[in-house]
Amino acid sequence: MTARDRSARAVAAPTAPAVPVSPAAGPGTGPAGVGLAAPADPSESPGALLAAIELHKRFGATPALDGASLRVDAGEIVALMGPSGSGKSTLLHCLAGIVGPDAGEVHYGTRRLSAMSEAGRSALRRGEFGFVFQFGQLVPELTCAENVALPLRLGGVGRRAARERAHAQLARLGVDDVAGKRPGEVSGGQGQRVAVARALVSEPRVIFADEPTGALDSLNGEEVMRLLTEAARTAAAAVVLVTHDARVAAYSDREVVVRDGRTRSLAG
Amino acid sequence: MSIGHTLLGLLEAGPRHGYDLKRSYDERFGHDRPLHYGQVYATLSRLLKNGLVEVDGVTPGDGPDRKRYAITEAGVTDVEHWLTQPERPDVYLHSGLYTKLVIALLTGRAAADVLDRQRAEHLTAMRALTRRKTGGDLADQLVCDHALFHLEADLRFLELTAARLDALASALRSPQADEARP
Ligand SMILES: Nc1ncnc2c1ncn2[C@@H]1O[C@H](COP(=O)(O)OP(=O)(O)O)[C@@H](O)[C@H]1O
Ligand SMILES: [Mg+2]
């Protein structure tokens, strides 16, 4: 080994973070985060619940995705991190079948999203996916309980059953007291919990959360993340979480960094 | 951190033996570095000499842990005074993180890789803290949040640096770079 190799290695080895307390590992909550070492090519590891392979997407002259790949296993919580404008939301929209990539494939289980009809993708989103955004996702004219019941109603669940499930879900998230209020009458933190309840109520296999705490203060943000991840783990739902906040990402099992429309993968 | 003041503060809750005091300290503050018995007894005897604690009772038997200590009025005043004194803000200009980044930039190596590896390492630590926090009591939450906010600050610095990499690299490699640094 040359001196240059050695010093290259010294620079490459990450410094153990200086933490005021040693992180005593808590009870098992999924695999340790090794996002950068995970295989970039989802075809290398079959059996993923959700996989994006070499996605490209432009908006006019703007390249939003430039060869982004990602795999998400069942029940796994993956954080997408990276600077603003790097393509995180576009990647999430492609994974959820909201936006079609110009090139590349998204697989959900054995299905290829691009091979499905728009109606098929729409049914998939309703039946298997849940969504939480930064804000503006609740229908202002409906009560919180009606908002939570909405995905069930759209999926053909009867009024009474939908209402009962909505109330139970609101209770699980500690916001049953706002069931009869409209979104405009509740606080930001309560509104996000209602949104989480709505995302979870149809027992999705994947929850897509784009900056779910972006409009909340620290305390409410922590609470929403704790509830969201606890509920997802209990339901064995996978979560694709877009965030630029490391404390939010720390609720995930691993992180994937998106930069300039590409997912970064550092081997070793 | 002042161990004396911390032990005094813990004693305010009620009289205790040295051993219980050490255990309580380690639980709250000693995750990294538990106290040695020697430290505990040396500190207690100093506090005793200064009238900040008193011996509240002696259990029959032998060994150093027969005495039970209680805080005195002067001790309470001392804790109160200590709490009014702000801590000196810590700065991390000598951290290995910063050094590695500068060396990578100076030598033309991929600083972005240094950043991303460091982020992975930080997030691993942050995950462990988050797990401990969500399963823990209020004291656990406090101590973990304190650590989490510091690690987050490191990462924000890394993000900002990543965004500035190109500018930094050329500035550091230019001949005036050394004079330009404070
Ligand atoms: N609907 C759109 N129309 C035009 N440009 C878009 C659209 N969505 C995203 N972009 C552009 O694509 C790039 C990536 O955006 P986005 O995926 O939202 O990034 P991020 O979520 O990481 O902030 C940005 O330059 C953004 O301006
Ligand atoms: Mg976005």
Side-chain angles (χ1 to χ4, degrees):
Chain A
M1 193 199 255
T2 66
R4 165 121 198 147
D5 287 341
R6 259 195 305 278
S7 67
R9 221 165 256 211
V11 170
T15 305
V19 195
V21 294
S22 69
T29 28
V34 284
L36 293 169
D41 180 0
S43 58
E44 278 175 26
S45 33
L49 177 63
L50 190 62
I53 304 158
E54 284 288 311
L55 299 185
H56 292 260
K57 178 73 185 178
R58 305 184 146 268
F59 294 101
T62 313
L65 293 179
D66 184 25
S69 297
L70 177 73
R71 58 163 289 149
V72 180
D73 287 333
E76 193 184 20
I77 302 182
V78 179
L80 298 182
M81 303 189 73
S84 170
S86 59
K88 304 180 295 293
S89 294
T90 306
L91 177 54
L92 180 142
H93 293 152
C94 287
L95 284 165
I98 297 169
V99 163
D102 301 333
E105 284 292 347
V106 176
H107 294 240
Y108 175 68
T110 55
R111 281 178 279 184
R112 260 171 51 218
L113 295 197
S114 66
M116 296 169 69
S117 66
E118 184 46 51
R121 281 194 294 267
S122 175
L124 185 69
R125 284 197 296 272
R126 229 179 18 246
E128 316 254 321
F129 297 166
F131 294 89
V132 186
F133 299 109
Q134 189 167 337
F135 43 54
Q137 54 214 303
L138 299 174
V139 182
E141 291 81 11
L142 300 180
T143 66
C144 288
E146 286 165 347
N147 264 286
V148 176
L150 191 60
L152 296 173
R153 297 288 293 139
L154 292 173
V157 177
R159 185 180 297 277
R160 178 187 289 266
R163 202 177 58 196
E164 274 167 18
R165 279 169 68 181
H167 277 274
Q169 193 66 53
L170 284 169
R172 243 167 265 148
L173 292 166
V175 278
D176 36 343
D177 51 330
V178 301
K181 293 190 174 170
R182 284 175 219 290
E185 301 167 337
V186 306
S187 74
Q190 288 169 331
Q192 275 315 72
R193 292 202 218 179
V194 173
V196 171
R198 193 181 68 165
L200 286 160
V201 75
S202 48
E203 295 169 5
R205 297 201 61 201
V206 188
I207 296 163
F208 294 94
D210 196 343
E211 304 278 6
T213 63
L216 302 180
D217 60 39
S218 291
L219 189 60
N220 276 296
E222 292 278 339
E223 193 60 6
V224 164
M225 280 316 297
R226 189 179 65 74
L227 289 164
L228 171 61
T229 50
E230 263 177 25
R233 289 192 199 283
T234 306
V239 180
V240 178
L241 167 70
V242 167
T243 183
H244 62 269
D245 183 337
R247 281 182 306 117
V248 170
Y251 282 88
S252 70
D253 297 323
R254 73 185 161 93
E255 77 282 359
V256 171
V257 179
V258 184
R259 234 194 259 294
D260 299 328
R262 307 177 131 271
T263 38
R264 298 259 310 167
S265 175
L266 290 181
Chain B
M1 182 172 46
S2 161
I3 294 173
H5 286 120
T6 312
L7 293 186
L8 270 182
L10 289 173
L11 269 181
E12 253 201 81
R16 275 187 243 195
H17 287 90
Y19 173 77
D20 291 332
L21 208 48
K22 171 194 152 43
R23 215 176 40 191
S24 159
Y25 179 99
D26 288 348
E27 264 171 27
R28 295 269 186 258
F29 312 110
H31 293 288
D32 244 356
R33 275 166 265 169
L35 288 181
H36 297 294
Y37 283 105
Q39 265 175 304
V40 176
Y41 293 112
T43 307
L44 282 171
S45 63
R46 179 170 57 77
L47 296 174
L48 196 59
K49 203 179 74 197
N50 295 338
L52 303 176
V53 301
E54 60 196 12
V55 174
D56 178 62
V58 181
T59 323
D62 43 32
D65 204 34
R66 292 159 49 224
K67 291 180 188 157
R68 214 162 67 132
Y69 297 88
I71 193 166
T72 62
E73 276 304 315
V76 174
T77 308
D78 201 52
V79 171
E80 225 160 74
H81 177 74
W82 175 62
L83 288 177
T84 63
Q85 303 300 304
E87 291 287 305
R88 196 167 61 90
D90 266 327
V91 286
Y92 298 107
L93 285 178
H94 299 290
S95 85
L97 188 66
Y98 172 74
T99 314
K100 267 188 185 158
L101 208 52
V102 171
I103 295 299
L105 290 165
L106 279 172
T107 56
R109 291 192 177 88
D113 290 358
V114 177
L115 296 181
D116 283 347
R117 289 207 175 84
Q118 193 61 55
R119 185 204 331 253
E121 191 78 3
H122 264 58
L123 272 167
T124 300
M126 290 179 76
R127 270 189 199 96
L129 287 162
T130 301
R131 282 198 293 270
R132 188 172 132 200
K133 178 174 78 167
T134 47
D137 62 10
L138 183 60
D140 267 326
Q141 287 170 23
L142 281 177
V143 76
C144 291
D145 273 331
H146 182 243
L148 281 163
F149 274 105
H150 276 88
L151 293 175
E152 187 205 13
D154 279 351
L155 282 176
R156 283 198 195 201
F157 164 72
L158 292 180
E159 287 300 338
L160 181 69
T161 307
R164 285 176 171 164
L165 272 187
D166 291 342
L168 254 179
S170 52
L172 282 169
R173 259 177 266 146
S174 76
Q176 303 92 336
D178 283 335
E179 290 106 89
R181 299 198 61 76

